[in-house]
Structure formats: C-alpha cells, structure tokens
Amino acid sequence: GDHGDRPVSKKHNFEFAALASNALTDAHVRLEYDFVLSLPQTWHRPYKYDNLDLHRPRRLLLSFKGGVKGRKKTYEYYSHRWIAAEYWEDAEDVEVDVACRNGWRKVPYQSTEYEEWLLNSTFVFCPGGSGVSSMRFTEALAADAIPVVLSNLIPPLYPDIDWSDCLVRVSEARIVDLPRILREIPQDEIRSRQIHCRSLLHTVIGQTRLDNEQVISTAGRNEQFQRVMEIWSYRIRAAYERQGFRKGLRTPIPGYATSNGST
C-alpha cells in the first residue's frame, strides 16, 4: 500500500505478530522479532555479464540515477537525491542524474545508461524514495557494486545477518561529502567488501536474471524466503531456551533436541 515511510497502514494493528516488510526503519523495527526485507530488483543482470571480474577496474567511483515523483504527497527521502545532485563534486568518476517525474512514469531502469552506470560503479548510492528502502540496494549487489545507504536503513534480515562488511553507511549530514569519504577507503577494504557483498547477495537475497529480454528466475530466487524461515525457526527455539521451557515441553518442537538427546 501507499504508506510513505510507515511500514504498514494505520488501519492495521499487528500487535504481537511478527512483521515482514521492506519499509522498516530503525524507528519501527523490533529487532530479533520483525523481518526486514529487500525491495525486489527492477534491473536484472543479463547473463552476458557473468564473466565480469568482481574486482574489475570501474570507470566510476560513485553513481546514482533516479527520479523524484511530483505528487500531492512529498516524501522526506527524496531530499537525499536532490542533495546528491546539487552538492556532489563535479568529477569524471562521479555521475548523478535526478529527474522530477509526474505520476508513476517509470525511470528506464533497463536503459543502456543505467545499466552501464551500475556495472561500472564501485559504489552505488541507494537512498530511499517513498520509503526508506531502495530497489537499488539489490541492483547494486547484482552489479557487483557496493551499496551506500543512509544510517537509518536496516538491511535485510538484520541483526541475524551481518552486513557491516559489505555496505557503507553515511549520515544525512555527510551526503554532500560522500565522494570524498569514499575516496579515502583503502583498495584492500574495497576488495573485501566486494567479496562480502557478492556472498550475501547469493546466500541471503538471491537474484533474478535477464536472458533475451526475458526475466529468468535462478535457483537463488527464493533465498530470502528460505533465510526468513530458518531465522524464524531459530528464534522460536531460542525463545523456548531463554524462557526455560525446554524441559517442560509436552509437545517437542520438530528438529529441536531435548535434554535426553532425542528430537
């Protein structure tokens, strides 16, 4: 639904239900209870780029391409895009394109320019739009780029999944200095983050691919759902353990070892 930066409509009261959403911020999420999800890709990496070296030289240090929708409601997260467009340094290795768009006309995410920027950027700025999350987060990972996110973003399946060795965080006050901040990151750290980002993409989120202009699902498409189920199962077992229910269970949890070693 259209809830702006709220994870759910005010019409719903989830009370004690665990919430899975891609719009949870650090102000909304109940850590170790709710599940933060990623937005699905709109740009899908074509198979023809499978042989690209993860540590290949990139033309761009940093890039962002997106729009601001001119609608009746104004969302605070769009301001980060304007700041980037207005204040980032004018350099050959920094590209930013922010356009004001009316209605819901889509940015041409499959355009040649957008694809070229993604595949040739070391870092991709991933600010939110109508909400705190961005589809560019997953798209940057799919392009072997390192996502740069705002400090209030909760990455997918955090805190069960640690993203600190992959993404780069920046506060709102430092967006204007982002190119300079990224230039100061050592090459060894960049290479390490690239490796961690690729691993998390394949083991946590999964991705869809593009073949002959058709979106093709890979075996990893359901990775995020599988990880949610695994984490949920672990949390239930951990809750029983913490509350001292283990010995008193009359109906054992499937797969959960009892005190005598049986399951």
Side-chain angles (χ1 to χ4, degrees), residues 80-99:
H80 306 136
R81 305 179 179 202
W82 288 124
I83 293 172
E86 186 70 20
Y87 294 104
W88 280 0
E89 63 184 70
D90 184 11
E92 291 184 356
D93 60 352
V94 176
E95 293 277 15
V96 57
D97 180 9
V98 177

Side-chain angles (χ1 to χ4, degrees), residues 26 40 62 85 105 111 113 115 154 167 176 198 210 220 246:
D26 54 357
L62 172 65
R105 185 165 62 89
S111 70
E113 183 181 58
E115 182 174 281
I154 304 295
L167 54 81
V176 295
R198 173 174 283 188
L210 192 68
R246 184 174 180 179

Side-chain angles (χ1 to χ4, degrees), residues 1-15 17-25 28-30 34-35 130-131:
D2 184 8
H3 315 310
D5 62 347
R6 300 187 305 276
V8 292
S9 169
K10 291 183 178 179
K11 297 179 182 179
H12 299 89
N13 181 9
F14 283 82
E15 295 183 343
L19 180 65
S21 172
N22 54 44
L24 293 168
T25 70
H28 295 121
V29 68
R30 297 166 293 181
D34 293 326
F35 292 95
S130 57

Side-chain angles (χ1 to χ4, degrees), residues 51-102:
N51 294 325
L52 290 178
D53 182 9
L54 175 62
H55 305 302
R56 63 189 180 275
R58 317 288 172 104
R59 180 176 69 84
L60 300 174
L61 169 74
L62 172 65
S63 70
F64 173 79
K65 182 179 179 64
V68 175
K69 297 181 175 68
R71 304 173 63 220
K72 293 181 179 179
K73 296 181 180 179
T74 301
Y75 299 113
E76 61 177 295
Y77 298 109
Y78 282 133
S79 64
H80 306 136
R81 305 179 179 202
W82 288 124
I83 293 172
E86 186 70 20
Y87 294 104
W88 280 0
E89 63 184 70
D90 184 11
E92 291 184 356
D93 60 352
V94 176
E95 293 277 15
V96 57
D97 180 9
V98 177
C100 184
R101 305 177 185 280
N102 296 320

Side-chain angles (χ1 to χ4, degrees), residues 38-43 63-69 77-78 81 88 96-99 101 105-109 114 117-118 123-149 153 201 205:
S38 62
L39 282 170
Q41 297 170 240
T42 302
W43 174 81
S63 70
F64 173 79
K65 182 179 179 64
V68 175
K69 297 181 175 68
Y77 298 109
Y78 282 133
R81 305 179 179 202
W88 280 0
V96 57
D97 180 9
V98 177
R101 305 177 185 280
R105 185 165 62 89
K106 295 177 64 177
V107 176
Y109 292 110
Y114 183 71
W117 284 14
L118 281 177
F123 300 93
V124 171
F125 188 40
C126 304
S130 57
V132 69
S133 59
S134 169
M135 65 190 71
R136 288 167 192 79
F137 182 88
T138 308
E139 293 171 352
L141 293 173
D144 298 329
I146 300 171
V148 180
V149 302
L153 175 79
L201 171 67
I205 296 178

